[in-house]
Amino acid sequence: MRQGVYQHYKGTLYWVERVVKHSETEEELVVYQALYGEFGWWARPLSMFQETVCINGENIPRFDFLRAQRDAG
């Protein structure tokens, strides 16, 4: 998983900071920040972050990598 800006399938953008391990289970978690609203920080299991979702009969990535830089410029 590379650091950068990802787009959620619903259109919102997020900055992926890194992948970390849960201290008890060692499950890999993605730490990421919303690039809108209050710019909150979140963690989600890596497996869920990388899965596909079925929208109108089409399987698409839940999060799609856009770019390595936080700003488009």
Side-chain angles (χ1 to χ4, degrees):
M1 167 119 285
R2 50 192 211 175
Q3 186 179 60
V5 176
Y6 287 74
Q7 185 170 28
H8 188 266
Y9 74 94
K10 292 181 181 177
T12 49
L13 299 180
Y14 296 88
W15 171 257
V16 168
E17 182 65 25
R18 66 187 50 180
V19 175
V20 299
K21 286 190 178 184
H22 188 287
S23 63
E24 298 296 319
T25 65
E26 294 194 13
E27 178 181 21
E28 291 184 301
L29 304 170
V30 178
V31 176
Y32 61 104
Q33 181 182 31
L35 295 179
Y36 63 92
E38 295 182 15
F39 294 83
W41 284 92
W42 302 91
R44 177 187 295 249
L46 176 62
S47 60
M48 183 184 281
F49 196 94
Q50 294 180 325
E51 71 187 359
T52 59
V53 292
C54 185
I55 305 297
N56 299 324
E58 182 182 357
N59 287 325
I60 59 172
R62 180 179 297 276
F63 290 91
D64 196 23
F65 180 79
L66 294 181
R67 60 184 182 269
Q69 294 81 27
R70 192 179 284 257
D71 296 325

